[in-house]
Amino acid sequence: MKLVGLTGGIGSGKTTVAGMFQSLGVPVYNSDDRAKEMMTTSADLIPDIKNLLGDEAYIDGELNRQFIAMKVFSDKSYLDRLNNIVHPAVREDFRYWAGEQITPYVIQEAAILYENEAYKNFDHMILVTAPKLLRLKRVMQRDQVDQDNILARMNHQWEDNKKIPLAHFVIENIELSETASQVKIIHQKLTELSANTEF
């Protein structure tokens, strides 16, 4: 089984692309959703997160996402330290999950696989891209947040031109029909590569 990383900057549409792969029968591990779940339920993570960010990181046992976002995106040191707590746990959880699948390849969807060098753990990398103005528009509509907030989050991610040379496949996600066509082509290629034990 091949391990495939799927990533892209905020607003690129990587979750939409992940859904297209799922519709083709590919198991997809959503790192963001799983991380949030583990941050709320893990007896190992919760004390470390509270120690880093304070008790305000939780309200009635649930993540105080607004507080956490304000804290980590205004101070990169907090973001780095939070990532160092959460990412190793998610990485281990993904490996366990992948071992339970029986398909030619599985996908892990995550936002910063390049920035934290996690891309080195995958057999193949898929990068989803889109023009910056389109990404801004998408996130403003989706999250009901202002442009400055989104730009602050973008500044913590690499630019596409830095990620493209490290990707095996690049999907430009502008028109959904074209994106779907690209996904089918990549799925066919990955299925063939996964069947070739010498690759």
Side-chain angles (χ1 to χ4, degrees), residues 6-9 11-14 16-17 20-21 126-135 138 160 164 167-183 185-186:
L6 172 65
T7 194
S12 62
K14 63 185 177 299
T16 298
V17 170
M20 292 178 179
F21 277 101
I126 301 170
L127 173 65
V128 182
T129 67
K132 194 168 187 176
L133 287 177
L134 178 57
R135 291 167 55 200
R138 286 172 176 168
D160 285 342
I164 287 172
H168 299 93
F169 305 98
V170 178
I171 296 174
E172 187 176 40
N173 179 33
I174 299 175
E175 296 291 338
L176 286 179
S177 59
E178 176 58 28
T179 298
S181 296
Q182 294 177 71
V183 166
I185 292 168
I186 292 170

Side-chain angles (χ1 to χ4, degrees), residues 33-171:
D33 287 349
R34 186 63 181 136
K36 288 172 183 173
E37 182 180 345
M38 293 174 71
M39 289 168 72
T40 305
T41 61
S42 171
D44 294 325
L45 294 183
I46 292 171
D48 289 341
I49 294 169
K50 285 185 175 180
N51 188 49
L52 173 64
L53 301 174
D55 290 340
E56 288 179 88
Y58 293 86
I59 298 176
D60 297 327
E62 296 295 324
L63 283 177
N64 184 349
R65 294 179 186 175
Q66 187 174 2
F67 170 79
I68 292 173
M70 179 188 69
K71 195 96 169 173
V72 301
F73 290 117
S74 63
D75 186 335
K76 190 176 185 299
S77 68
Y78 277 113
L79 179 61
D80 291 340
R81 288 155 67 193
L82 181 63
N83 285 341
N84 287 337
I85 292 169
V86 177
H87 287 175
V90 171
R91 189 156 51 245
E92 183 178 340
D93 187 66
F94 166 70
R95 288 283 180 172
Y96 178 82
W97 171 88
E100 295 186 316
Q101 311 305 314
I102 53 172
T103 48
Y105 72 96
V106 297
I107 288 176
Q108 181 178 8
E109 175 199 343
I112 55 171
L113 293 177
Y114 287 112
E115 292 84 346
N116 63 13
E117 298 197 338
Y119 73 95
K120 295 177 181 178
N121 300 321
F122 295 93
D123 298 297
H124 305 285
M125 285 294 301
I126 301 170
L127 173 65
V128 182
T129 67
K132 194 168 187 176
L133 287 177
L134 178 57
R135 291 167 55 200
L136 278 168
K137 181 180 177 183
R138 286 172 176 168
V139 180
M140 288 173 70
Q141 290 176 343
R142 182 190 72 194
D143 296 349
Q144 301 297 305
V145 292
D146 61 38
Q147 183 170 302
D148 289 342
N149 182 292
I150 302 165
L151 289 172
R153 291 156 72 182
M154 284 183 171
N155 288 337
H156 291 287
Q157 300 179 343
W158 286 8
E159 295 287 340
D160 285 342
N161 59 10
K162 190 174 180 180
K163 291 183 279 193
I164 287 172
L166 299 172
H168 299 93
F169 305 98
V170 178
I171 296 174

